[in-house]
Amino acid sequence: MSLYRTQVKIVADVLSAAMDNGTNEGVGITHLLRRANLSYARMVRILNDLVGSGLLETVEQERGNRYRTSDRGLQFLTAYGRFQDFAKSFGLRL
Amino acid sequence: MAAEFLTMYLLEEYLAIVGAAIGFVIAYVSYRGYTQTHSPTLLRLGAAFLLLGISYSFTGFHGLAANGLLPNFAILVGTFAVLAYSLETAGYFFLAFSHMLNVKGLKRGSFVPLVVFSPGAIAAGLKSLSFYFLLYGVTETLLSYVRTRNRGTLVIAAGLAMLATGEFMRWIGFFYGPASDLVLLSVFVKVVGLSTLVVPIMKFMWLGRAMTDVVV
């Protein structure tokens, strides 16, 4: 019996993937697509939402936009990890 | 005998108030989690324990009032009892519902809980539904433990199983009279079951993970 990946989990995956670089340059959309395993159309929609809500920041470069996790995004990931453990205790997933 | 009977009954009422406190704490932590992550799972968990908390409060205060320890509002007592059972059933439903939404292939008819109404009184029907939802919650929590091997999940499954057992023993106890040893044993089993539900909260606090205000 397989399990759905919830929207919250997808957001956490995208934010984690955007931290991969470890520098302030951010990562490209191709990297995000590969790591978060999403279609291009869906990824664009999610990126717009995340940038709009301040969880991701865009880094403008000559070859197109790159994305990095904002401080708010980092706080989200911290809270996500904490409450994931809590939910897991009840046999649930966020 | 009468004093022993009263003490045992009061023990159950006090247990209900302790259960209410535990329910409210879990609901609060779940709600904080919802505000920080916007996870619908946490919202449902919070709703489940909020309803259970209110239900246990009603049960506890209704019992204390019925035993003359609180101002007796006789007219409302019956209404309160049915309301408490309804809220309890709704709480257990939300708990079971949280698991149901996590299972892919539900539409293909994998393991959908059946809704069985007892032809008897409303309260008895609600109690049997509560027991059913609890059993479903136990099954899904155990399945989750098999998948994740998380010890905390096993503790919660054991707690829910003890709550279900306590409810079942309480129901059986009616046939042997309200002062039977079975009723006392059911109270003890429910106390232990409720206490185990606090474990994730304690872990949450003891790990020094203060609840910060992150609003997404």
Side-chain angles (χ1 to χ4, degrees):
Chain A
M1 193 156 50
S2 55
L3 299 169
Y4 282 117
R5 192 163 53 144
T6 62
Q7 182 70 13
V8 179
K9 167 82 172 129
I10 291 170
V11 167
D13 286 348
V14 172
L15 291 177
S16 300
M19 288 171 57
D20 275 357
N21 202 334
T23 67
N24 279 336
E25 294 173 2
V27 296
I29 195 164
T30 311
H31 177 85
L32 291 175
L33 284 170
R34 198 169 51 241
R35 281 291 314 279
N37 194 25
L38 289 170
S39 69
Y40 180 81
R42 192 160 183 203
M43 177 61 86
V44 168
R45 211 165 48 237
I46 288 174
L47 287 177
N48 285 336
D49 288 346
L50 294 182
V51 170
S53 60
L55 295 173
L56 270 185
E57 292 170 345
T58 48
V59 183
E60 289 180 15
Q61 291 195 342
E62 287 177 9
R63 288 187 300 167
N65 281 348
R66 292 173 75 85
Y67 298 90
R68 69 175 171 219
T69 309
S70 66
D71 288 342
R72 203 169 174 181
L74 293 175
Q75 285 179 316
F76 172 86
L77 283 176
T78 308
Y80 175 80
R82 200 168 61 224
F83 285 104
Q84 191 181 30
D85 287 346
F86 176 72
K88 203 185 279 182
S89 300
F90 286 91
L92 300 168
R93 296 173 308 118
L94 291 189
Chain B
M1 180 66 184
E4 188 184 315
F5 173 70
L6 185 65
T7 308
M8 191 169 70
Y9 250 76
L10 288 181
L11 181 64
E12 194 170 8
E13 313 316 341
Y14 288 128
L15 162 70
I17 291 169
V18 171
I22 292 170
F24 286 134
V25 170
I26 297 175
Y28 175 72
V29 173
S30 302
Y31 177 72
R32 290 299 292 265
Y34 170 71
T35 58
Q36 293 180 26
T37 63
H38 282 201
S39 165
T41 303
L42 289 175
L43 185 64
R44 283 192 292 272
L45 193 65
F49 279 98
L50 178 67
L51 289 168
L52 288 175
I54 296 171
S55 154
Y56 274 108
S57 304
F58 277 0
T59 307
F61 289 118
H62 154 247
L64 291 178
N67 285 300
L69 294 181
L70 286 177
N72 201 355
F73 32 91
I75 300 170
L76 292 177
V77 163
T79 315
F80 260 42
V82 173
L83 193 60
Y85 291 145
S86 307
L87 291 170
E88 188 184 24
T89 306
Y92 288 134
F93 170 76
F94 271 102
L95 205 57
F97 191 56
S98 301
H99 287 288
M100 282 150 65
L101 285 187
N102 278 332
V103 180
K104 192 176 184 178
L106 186 68
K107 287 174 185 168
R108 292 196 297 269
S110 50
F111 186 30
V112 185
L114 302 171
V115 178
V116 181
F117 271 107
S118 146
I122 297 173
L126 290 170
K127 272 285 177 194
S128 64
L129 268 181
S130 292
F131 176 68
Y132 189 85
F133 287 136
L134 259 176
L135 274 188
Y136 183 77
V138 171
T139 309
E140 282 292 345
T141 311
L142 276 175
L143 284 174
S144 177
Y145 169 72
V146 170
R147 277 195 302 267
T148 62
R149 296 284 167 191
N150 182 338
R151 283 184 192 172
T153 311
L154 189 61
V155 172
I156 292 295
L160 290 175
M162 277 189 267
L163 271 179
T165 309
E167 288 284 346
F168 185 68
M169 288 164 75
R170 183 78 178 80
W171 182 71
I172 295 284
F174 283 127
F175 297 107
Y176 295 95
S180 71
D181 290 342
L182 206 55
V183 173
L184 193 61
L185 190 62
S186 80
V187 172
F188 175 74
V189 171
K190 280 167 80 174
V191 171
V192 179
L194 273 174
S195 306
T196 58
L197 297 187
V198 187
V199 171
I201 300 286
M202 302 302 273
K203 214 169 101 182
F204 196 80
M205 303 293 184
W206 283 343
L207 289 177
R209 294 164 162 183
M211 286 177 279
T212 51
D213 285 310
V214 185
V215 180
V216 180

